[in-house]
Amino acid sequence: MRKLFQNKVTIILLIIALVVLLAACNQNQGASEQAGEQIKDASEWKKQEIILKNGVPYAMDEQGDSTKLGEAIQPPDEWKDQDLGGRNDASTLNGKPDVQGELVSPTDGWLVLTYTRGDTYVYKSADGGNTWAETNTPDLLYVPDIVGFINKDCLIIAEKLFVGVPVYITRDGGESWEQIEMPDEKAEVKKIEVTDELITMTVEKDAEIWVMKSSDLGESWSTVQSLQ
């Protein structure tokens, strides 16, 4: 009888040990799969464009396939005082704004949203686009045309031609903005490129073209006039 009891205890202990071992294996496998997904995402983030569908952020690749990133984005703070189309009652972004958004690292991203009234809002993400927080917007005279996504702290917003064509830059994550001095007050930014630490802006007015370059995140610029 005693021997039978000892055998039962041994079997129970073996079963418990087996269950613990299987749980540990599954946990390690899950961790490996998650790490693999993170590596894959990190290798592809430069190809992602951020779009919105009913206020929900998606990452869209070069083939046009989109992947949901997170839940719907919270509306701008100023909407609380705007009785316009139910803005003051909105719990998430609504309407169909013009969206310019990109990831600048596997974790950091920017969204610049412009509504038909010309209202523009800037949002940031620090978790790969899963959640977004509103930051300050420059004092725009009109609406954004070209946006330069530099890094997690630096963003350039160039307006469309209206009353001049001001170009704004932030180097502190949107906390403050300043204007970039342009070669002509009516010169429009046509392209913004970022290569390593070098920012290059192509600027045009009628038949005149300038190439502006900065290697210190817009603290200073070298400007060369080019011929078409």
Side-chain angles (χ1 to χ4, degrees):
M1 188 74 177
R2 182 177 179 183
K3 185 176 182 181
L4 179 61
F5 176 77
Q6 289 176 339
N7 289 339
K8 286 183 178 180
V9 171
T10 302
I11 292 172
I12 292 172
L13 291 175
L14 287 174
I15 292 173
I16 293 174
L18 181 61
V19 170
V20 171
L21 180 62
L22 289 173
C25 289
N26 289 334
Q27 184 176 3
N28 289 336
Q29 182 180 1
S32 298
E33 290 176 353
Q34 184 178 9
E37 290 174 357
Q38 290 173 345
I39 292 171
K40 180 179 178 182
D41 290 343
S43 67
E44 295 183 352
W45 64 266
K46 286 188 177 181
K47 301 177 183 178
Q48 304 294 325
E49 176 186 358
I50 308 302
I51 62 173
L52 294 183
K53 297 180 181 180
N54 298 320
V56 177
Y58 285 76
M60 187 170 67
D61 61 24
E62 294 177 319
Q63 286 71 44
D65 297 324
S66 57
T67 303
K68 182 181 177 182
L69 295 176
E71 299 306 315
I73 298 174
Q74 295 296 306
D77 288 340
E78 72 173 19
W79 281 19
K80 298 174 184 176
D81 302 320
Q82 293 182 351
D83 186 13
L84 176 68
R87 280 186 170 184
N88 54 345
D89 294 324
S91 58
T92 62
L93 285 172
N94 57 28
K96 295 182 179 179
D98 177 62
V99 180
Q100 297 187 67
E102 284 187 16
L103 293 175
V104 292
S105 79
T107 56
D108 301 289
W110 292 92
L111 276 175
V112 179
L113 313 175
T114 303
Y115 285 82
T116 53
R117 292 179 65 230
D119 298 330
T120 297
Y121 307 99
V122 180
Y123 283 77
K124 288 183 62 182
S125 175
D127 57 10
N130 183 52
T131 59
W132 295 84
E134 185 185 9
T135 187
N136 295 325
T137 303
D139 188 17
L140 301 174
L141 298 174
Y142 192 36
V143 295
D145 185 21
I146 303 293
V147 176
F149 302 93
I150 314 304
N151 62 30
K152 68 182 182 66
D153 296 315
C154 188
L155 185 75
I156 295 176
I157 297 180
E159 289 195 39
K160 289 184 178 180
L161 179 61
F162 182 55
V163 182
V165 201
V167 181
Y168 300 90
I169 186 170
T170 180
R171 289 185 290 273
D172 55 13
E175 291 296 320
S176 62
W177 295 83
E178 62 184 63
Q179 271 191 246
I180 298 175
E181 185 176 351
M182 305 301 289
D184 187 282
E185 64 177 6
K186 293 187 177 181
E188 298 180 83
V189 175
K190 295 298 183 181
K191 184 188 298 184
I192 301 176
E193 299 175 293
V194 183
T195 306
D196 296 326
E197 298 297 321
L198 181 66
I199 305 172
T200 302
M201 292 199 302
T202 302
V203 182
E204 296 184 14
K205 177 199 171 187
D206 300 328
E208 296 179 282
I209 300 176
W210 295 267
V211 177
M212 301 176 61
K213 295 186 178 184
S214 175
S215 58
D216 54 10
L217 297 180
E219 289 279 1
S220 60
W221 295 86
S222 62
T223 303
V224 176
Q225 191 165 6
S226 175
L227 298 177
Q228 285 186 330

